C-alpha cells in the first residue's frame, strides 16, 4: 500500500492522464452500449423532426457550448402520435428545412421514451471516443515507460 501511495505521489501527472484515458474509454463504452440497447430492444420506425431544442452544455474548460436536441414526432405501436426530445444532441443544428422525415429507434419504458436517430455519425462517434480513450492510455503509458527505462 505504501509503494502505491509513493508511486501516485511521485507520478501524479501520469496517474491523472491514465485516469483521464480510462474515463474517456468507459464513457465511450457506456455510450455505445446505450445506443446498441435501444437499437436491439427498441422499435424501428419513421419519425419526423419538427424542431430543435437548444441547451447549454458545460465543458471541462468552462466554456458554454450549445447542443441541439431534435424534437421528433412519431407514431407508437398503438398508433398514438408522440412528440419527444431525442437522447443525443449535436453541436451543429441541421440545415435541412423543418419538418423532415428520418428513421428512428425508440424504446418505451412506461410513459418514458428513449429515442435515437439512425445516423452514421452517432454510430461512428462511440467508436471514435473508445479509440481516443485507448490512444490516450497507450500514449501516456508508452511515454511513462520510455522515460522510466
Amino acid at each position: 500500500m505504501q509503494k502505491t501511495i509513493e508511486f501516485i505521489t511521485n507520478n501524479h501527472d501520469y496517474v491523472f492522464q491514465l485516469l483521464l484515458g480510462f474515463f474517456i474509454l468507459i464513457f465511450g463504452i457506456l455510450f455505445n452500449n446505450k445506443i446498441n440497447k435501444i437499437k436491439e430492444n427498441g422499435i424501428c420506425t419513421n419519425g419526423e423532426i419538427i424542431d430543435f431544442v437548444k441547451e447549454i452544455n458545460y465543458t471541462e474548460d468552462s466554456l458554454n457550448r450549445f447542443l441541439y436536441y431534435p424534437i421528433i414526432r412519431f407514431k407508437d405501436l398503438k398508433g398514438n402520435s408522440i412528440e419527444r426530445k431525442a437522447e443525443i444532441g449535436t453541436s451543429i443544428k441541421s440545415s435541412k428545412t423543418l419538418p423532415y422525415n428520418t428513421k428512428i429507434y425508440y424504446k418505451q419504458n412506461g410513459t418514458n421514451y428513449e429515442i435515437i436517430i439512425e445516423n452514421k455519425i452517432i454510430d461512428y462517434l462511440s467508436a471514435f471516443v473508445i479509440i481516443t480513450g485507448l490512444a490516450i492510455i497507450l500514449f501516456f503509458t508508452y511515454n511513462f515507460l520510455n522515460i522510466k527505462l
Side-chain angles (χ1 to χ4, degrees), residues 17-40:
Q17 294 160 345
L18 195 61
L19 288 174
L20 176 67
F22 277 113
F23 174 75
I24 292 171
L25 177 66
I26 290 169
F27 177 77
I29 291 169
L30 293 174
F31 182 71
N32 188 45
N33 287 345
K34 181 175 185 167
I35 290 171
N36 287 338
K37 281 183 182 180
I38 293 174
K39 283 186 173 183
E40 290 171 4

Side-chain angles (χ1 to χ4, degrees), residues 47-64:
E48 183 179 37
I49 297 180
I50 57 173
D51 202 1
F52 286 90
V53 174
K54 184 178 179 180
E55 293 183 5
I56 294 176
N57 180 35
Y58 295 100
T59 59
E60 303 83 36
D61 55 4
S62 299
L63 294 175
N64 295 341

